[in-house]
């Protein structure tokens, strides 16, 4: 995702896939299945993600356990919102997006817009 660097995104993917909060060591073990990262590197990135408000942590004995604050879907929607807010011509952006949508995605959008209209 746009708001994350490469390693931040990989760490968020690990946390989103986890059923429970993870320690630095747990995240490192998953990531090191296909790369060779240092414990301190992962710890620093998790600390930065915590500082940025993307993860929460709770102390367990001498270590922290980390979990995401939002779901992957919520984070993706937030990124889309930020991109749309930064556009000079929102209408053009939305029209380009809709023109690239599949039929299934178009149906989802139509249903969501109908629900939104009913809530007003």
């Amino acid at each position: 995702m746009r708001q994350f660097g490469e390693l931040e995104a990989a760490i968020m993917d690990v946390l989103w896939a986890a059923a429970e909060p993870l320690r630095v060591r747990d995240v490192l073990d998953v990531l090191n299945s296909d790369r060779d990262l240092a414990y301190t590197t992962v710890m620093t990135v998790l600390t930065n993600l915590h500082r940025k408000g993307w993860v929460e942590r709770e102390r367990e004995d001498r270590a922290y356990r980390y979990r995401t604050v939002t779901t992957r879907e919520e984070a993706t929607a937030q990124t889309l919102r930020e991109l749309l807010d930064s556009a000079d011509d929102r209408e053009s952006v939305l029209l380009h997006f809709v023109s690239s949508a599949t039929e299934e995605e178009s149906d989802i959008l139509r249903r969501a817009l109908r629900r939104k209209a009913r809530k007003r």
Side-chain angles (χ1 to χ4, degrees):
M1 273 183 244
R2 182 183 173 112
Q3 72 266 20
F4 299 125
E6 182 182 338
L7 186 53
E8 287 176 327
I11 288 172
M12 291 296 290
D13 285 341
V14 170
L15 293 174
W16 277 320
E20 59 189 32
L22 300 177
R23 297 169 303 161
V24 174
R25 174 65 55 200
D26 302 325
V27 175
L28 180 66
D29 289 346
V30 172
L31 292 174
N32 275 349
S33 66
D34 62 338
R35 43 176 112 191
D36 188 25
L37 297 169
Y39 179 93
T40 54
T41 300
V42 174
M43 182 176 64
T44 299
V45 174
L46 279 164
T47 299
N48 289 338
L49 288 168
H50 177 259
R51 183 180 44 78
K52 292 176 182 180
W54 286 104
V55 299
E56 294 176 334
R57 65 185 183 191
E58 56 190 53
R59 189 174 283 283
E60 182 179 277
D61 298 323
R62 294 177 47 198
Y64 284 111
R65 286 194 172 268
Y66 293 86
R67 71 170 164 263
T68 62
V69 173
T70 63
T71 65
R72 180 189 309 272
E73 294 76 16
E74 290 166 332
T76 302
Q78 182 176 339
T79 299
L80 290 172
R81 177 81 261 161
E82 289 168 4
L83 289 170
L84 189 58
D85 287 346
S86 70
D88 292 332
D89 184 357
R90 290 181 185 180
E91 181 179 357
S92 181
V93 171
L94 286 169
L95 290 173
H96 283 290
F97 175 74
V98 169
S99 70
S100 71
T102 65
E103 270 308 307
E104 180 184 6
E105 292 164 341
S106 294
D107 290 342
I108 292 167
L109 286 170
R110 279 194 277 288
R111 285 194 306 269
L113 289 170
R114 281 194 297 271
R115 279 194 306 266
K116 184 176 181 178
R118 281 193 295 258
K119 288 182 181 180
R120 290 183 186 180

